[in-house]
Amino acid sequence: MKILVLGAGKMGSFFIDLLSFDHEVAVFEKDIRRMRFTYNCQRFADPEEIRAFQPELVINAVTVKYTIPAFNEILPLLPKDCIISDISSVKTGLKDFYESTGFRYVSTHPMFGPTFANLQQLSEENAIIISEGDYMGRIFFKDLYQKLGLNIYEYTFEEHDKTVAYSLSIPFVSTFVFAAVMKHQDAPGTTFKRHMRIAKGVLNEDDYLLQEILFNPYTHNQVSQIRTELKELLEIIDNKDGDGMKAYLTKIRDNVRRDIDIKDSH
């Protein structure tokens, strides 16, 4: 298959490496310096080269801010039977956009990134395939993600954004709070150092991506739960309530245990 990857960033390069041995792959990237470390693929900096390439599948791997503008730039250059796709972690507005184009489409979200994941061992990582869109496009990505050993889930666009609001906004906000109140320590403990590594990884993400995840319409209720829990915990601390602390720890341990049990059952 002829596959065009838009963007030679971390995830774009990952898909190029992944696909280039089984498919004819090209990458379109305006910043030619970012293509220095791509190999076994054609490198395009001129949009007209896309027209000559005639891709059968486009994987849009640019940052969230430019996903739709990147599509708009290349759509006139694509064959009408080409499948267009994205790997965005925020799907806001994408369903309406796709349906307005007249192109076949598929949308997925590999829920890992080079910042934290071991790309050679992805069996504990997840991917979401949006259930709306082109059937053959979904089959292509399902086969690809299965080969990587990923755990695959199928959601609608709306279900995806609800899931992301829970799975990303709570860890991100918790990390923001930690980073906001932390102070330099000459002899940090193990837990502090682990949180620091997580904070550095999260804060290395694109600013617009972090913004879009937190501006997800489903994020507010999730963040409000953090505020509620902090208020309860602060009251226990202020009152030095030993029984209350024991009950609170039991509650959160049960919550974590329940999550582990659910994962094991799958």
Side-chain angles (χ1 to χ4, degrees), residues 69-83:
F71 274 138
N72 282 329
E73 182 176 3
I74 68 156
L75 287 183
L77 308 171
L78 301 179
K80 291 301 180 183
D81 60 349
C82 180
I83 300 174

Side-chain angles (χ1 to χ4, degrees), residues 6 15 31 51 54 60 68-69 102 104 121 129 134 142 145 151 153 180 182 190 192 210 218 236 254 262:
L6 300 183
F15 274 92
D31 183 352
R51 192 191 304 275
Q54 295 281 292
N60 191 335
I68 291 178
R104 300 158 64 195
Q121 178 58 42
I129 298 176
D134 184 76
K142 187 173 183 179
Y145 292 155
N151 302 296
Y153 300 87
M182 60 156 285
T190 301
F192 183 92
L210 297 174
Y218 301 103
I236 293 171
D254 287 344
I262 289 172

Side-chain angles (χ1 to χ4, degrees), residues 1-5 15-16 19-27 40-42 44 52-57 140:
M1 180 184 289
K2 284 188 170 185
I3 300 174
L4 174 68
V5 176
F15 274 92
I16 293 166
L19 296 167
S20 60
F21 292 99
D22 297 316
H23 302 276
E24 187 178 349
V25 175
V27 57
N40 204 30
C41 68
Q42 298 182 54
F44 300 156
F53 183 62
Q54 295 281 292
E56 299 166 79
L57 171 68
F140 174 86

Side-chain angles (χ1 to χ4, degrees), residues 12 23 58 65 81 96 125 131 133 141 156 164 181 188 213 248 259:
H23 302 276
V58 171
K65 182 177 182 180
D81 60 349
D96 290 341
E125 304 293 345
S131 56
F141 279 98
T156 64
V164 166
V181 302
I213 288 171
Y248 192 82
D259 182 70

Side-chain angles (χ1 to χ4, degrees), residues 23-243:
H23 302 276
E24 187 178 349
V25 175
V27 57
F28 176 60
E29 171 60 67
K30 291 183 177 180
D31 183 352
I32 59 175
R33 294 171 298 179
R34 302 185 77 182
M35 293 192 284
R36 287 178 298 176
F37 305 110
T38 59
Y39 66 97
N40 204 30
C41 68
Q42 298 182 54
R43 302 180 180 94
F44 300 156
D46 181 351
E48 283 302 316
E49 294 176 285
I50 296 173
R51 192 191 304 275
F53 183 62
Q54 295 281 292
E56 299 166 79
L57 171 68
V58 171
I59 300 176
N60 191 335
V62 303
T63 56
V64 173
K65 182 177 182 180
Y66 299 108
T67 299
I68 291 178
F71 274 138
N72 282 329
E73 182 176 3
I74 68 156
L75 287 183
L77 308 171
L78 301 179
K80 291 301 180 183
D81 60 349
C82 180
I83 300 174
I84 59 176
S85 72
D86 74 277
I87 56 169
S88 298
S89 53
V90 179
K91 305 296 185 185
T92 306
L94 276 174
K95 181 180 181 181
D96 290 341
F97 169 77
Y98 277 133
E99 294 182 349
S100 73
T101 66
F103 279 86
R104 300 158 64 195
Y105 70 86
V106 59
S107 185
T108 75
H109 179 190
M111 296 187 71
F112 61 88
T115 301
F116 293 121
N118 176 0
L119 298 182
Q120 306 304 315
Q121 178 58 42
L122 295 171
S123 60
E124 294 185 2
E125 304 293 345
N126 303 317
I128 294 174
I129 298 176
I130 302 301
S131 56
E132 299 149 283
D134 184 76
Y135 173 75
M136 293 307 298
R138 298 201 308 272
I139 292 298
F140 174 86
F141 279 98
K142 187 173 183 179
D143 288 346
L144 181 65
Y145 292 155
Q146 283 178 335
K147 289 177 182 177
L148 291 173
L150 293 167
N151 302 296
I152 301 170
Y153 300 87
E154 291 198 23
Y155 296 134
T156 64
F157 280 103
E158 182 179 11
E159 289 168 341
H160 169 272
D161 282 354
K162 288 181 179 178
T163 299
V164 166
Y166 169 73
S167 64
L168 292 183
S169 64
I170 289 180
F172 280 14
V173 168
S174 300
T175 299
F176 290 174
V177 172
F178 167 79
V181 302
M182 60 156 285
K183 297 178 181 179
H184 172 72
Q185 295 188 27
D186 291 327
T190 301
T191 302
F192 183 92
K193 287 189 287 187
R194 287 176 178 171
H195 279 285
M196 177 60 78
R197 283 197 295 270
I198 292 172
K200 287 179 179 177
V202 169
L203 295 173
N204 276 334
E205 297 286 0
D206 177 72
D207 286 0
Y208 191 84
L209 170 64
L210 297 174
Q211 172 184 301
E212 287 300 292
I213 288 171
L214 295 183
F215 289 177
N216 180 326
Y218 301 103
T219 293
H220 175 84
N221 289 342
Q222 298 295 340
V223 176
S224 292
Q225 291 182 47
I226 296 177
R227 183 171 56 190
T228 300
E229 292 298 321
L230 282 174
K231 181 181 178 182
E232 180 181 350
L233 186 56
L234 193 58
E235 289 176 354
I236 293 171
I237 293 170
D238 288 343
N239 295 326
K240 294 183 172 55
D241 181 359
D243 291 338

